[in-house]
Amino acid sequence: DLITSPVRKILGLLRNPLLAAGAVLGVTFGFTDTINTYKNFEAAMSQVKSISGATEEQFAKLTAKAKEMGATTKFTAKESADAFNYTAIAGWKPEQMLDGIEGILSLAAASGEDLGKTSDIVTDALTAFRLKASDAMHFSDVLAQTAASANTNVGLMGETFKYVGAMAGTLGYSIEDVGLMVGLMANNIKGSMAGTQLNSIFTRLSTNTHGARDAIKELGINFFDSAGKARDLSDIIDELRAATAGYTDEQKVNLAN
């Protein structure tokens, strides 16, 4: 008598063998999914430990960080573990992995690129520009902002950096410098072709190949400053634009060549 009508209804439904089986199976499947998810995460982290050579203390920090990223980003803990794997394969040490993971996940989320490709872009470019893993978030911000304001995307910029990053880094150009150049070029040329062309410009001007540096010096423009450091390319282009204002199209093409 103490059992209310709604409760009796529920008890009656639960006596139905089909509904009871469904409830049990639902719990079972949910529990199985949880176990499998945990197993997949554990397997991924085990691989991270193997590839990175992390100590027990470092591994504990990596595991905690992957779980934190799984709770605070759009990516799961398993996907965060996968990102650690990609950086470990790239040669990053555990400390670098901890420093760089947030930048990688941030760029992947903003760009829509998969984690593997994003990890390659970040690890390769940071090395080329002689940056640290802790610079990953700043690097990611520059790429995301460039992609949002120019006719290009993170994947294409990654291809560009692959061809020009090493030379740009050697000349001391920052990621902001090259990001601006790539963004400006994107209306006409992008991806690997942009990287090849930009690398050619840097190489010819820095080594004076085919008299390229002499050609602009005749116009009163220096590629290197008095300390031997490569000058900002945007400054050089502005000076070239002013110096050739009276040139015909043919003269401009000849100088460009």
Side-chain angles (χ1 to χ4, degrees):
D1 291 336
L2 295 176
I3 300 177
T4 62
S5 180
V7 174
R8 285 196 189 92
K9 192 171 184 180
I10 292 172
L11 291 176
L13 289 172
L14 288 178
R15 291 192 186 97
N16 185 309
L18 290 178
L19 291 176
V24 172
L25 288 174
V27 172
T28 302
F29 288 146
F31 185 69
T32 300
D33 289 342
T34 300
I35 292 296
N36 287 337
T37 298
Y38 182 75
K39 284 182 178 179
N40 291 337
F41 173 69
E42 289 289 291
M45 288 307 302
S46 178
Q47 189 173 4
V48 169
K49 184 178 183 180
S50 176
I51 296 173
S52 68
T55 64
E56 289 299 328
E57 182 180 356
Q58 291 170 331
F59 181 65
K61 290 180 179 179
L62 289 169
T63 301
K65 190 66 175 180
K67 291 178 179 178
E68 177 191 336
M69 294 295 95
T72 59
T73 71
K74 65 171 284 186
F75 299 101
T76 65
K78 164 62 168 57
E79 289 171 325
S80 301
D82 289 340
F84 275 144
N85 261 317
Y86 294 128
T87 57
I89 292 171
W92 277 15
K93 302 301 181 185
E95 294 80 5
Q96 294 174 300
M97 294 158 65
L98 289 167
D99 286 340
I101 185 65
E102 291 186 34
I104 291 173
L105 295 183
S106 175
L107 185 60
S111 66
E113 297 286 348
D114 67 70
L115 283 172
K117 186 171 184 178
T118 303
S119 297
D120 283 344
I121 291 172
V122 174
T123 54
D124 290 349
L126 290 183
T127 299
F129 285 94
R130 302 178 183 183
L131 298 172
K132 300 176 182 177
S134 55
D135 295 314
M137 182 61 80
H138 175 65
F139 173 82
S140 299
D141 287 343
V142 172
L143 261 66
Q145 290 170 14
T146 302
S149 59
N151 185 24
T152 187
N153 58 50
V154 169
L156 288 171
M157 284 190 286
E159 284 297 305
T160 301
F161 291 138
K162 186 185 299 183
Y163 288 86
V164 73
M167 177 57 77
T170 298
L171 291 172
Y173 285 118
S174 69
I175 182 59
E176 289 88 351
D177 293 331
V178 180
L180 175 60
M181 298 172 202
V182 171
L184 291 172
M185 295 174 72
N187 286 325
N188 300 297
I189 184 173
K190 53 179 69 76
S192 59
M193 292 180 65
T196 300
Q197 294 296 329
L198 194 52
N199 183 69
S200 178
I201 292 172
F202 287 154
T203 301
R204 289 182 179 222
L205 288 174
S206 62
T207 63
N208 200 31
T209 303
H210 303 304
R213 197 163 69 227
D214 290 340
I216 65 171
K217 193 169 185 178
E218 289 178 8
L219 298 173
I221 303 168
N222 292 309
F223 180 71
F224 292 108
D225 62 20
S226 58
K229 184 178 183 299
R231 296 179 59 229
D232 192 322
L233 191 62
S234 61
D235 288 342
I236 294 173
I237 292 173
D238 284 342
E239 291 170 11
L240 274 171
R241 186 176 292 115
T244 59
Y247 276 31
T248 65
D249 287 345
E250 182 179 7
Q251 288 174 313
K252 289 179 180 179
V253 169
N254 288 335
L255 176 62
N257 287 333

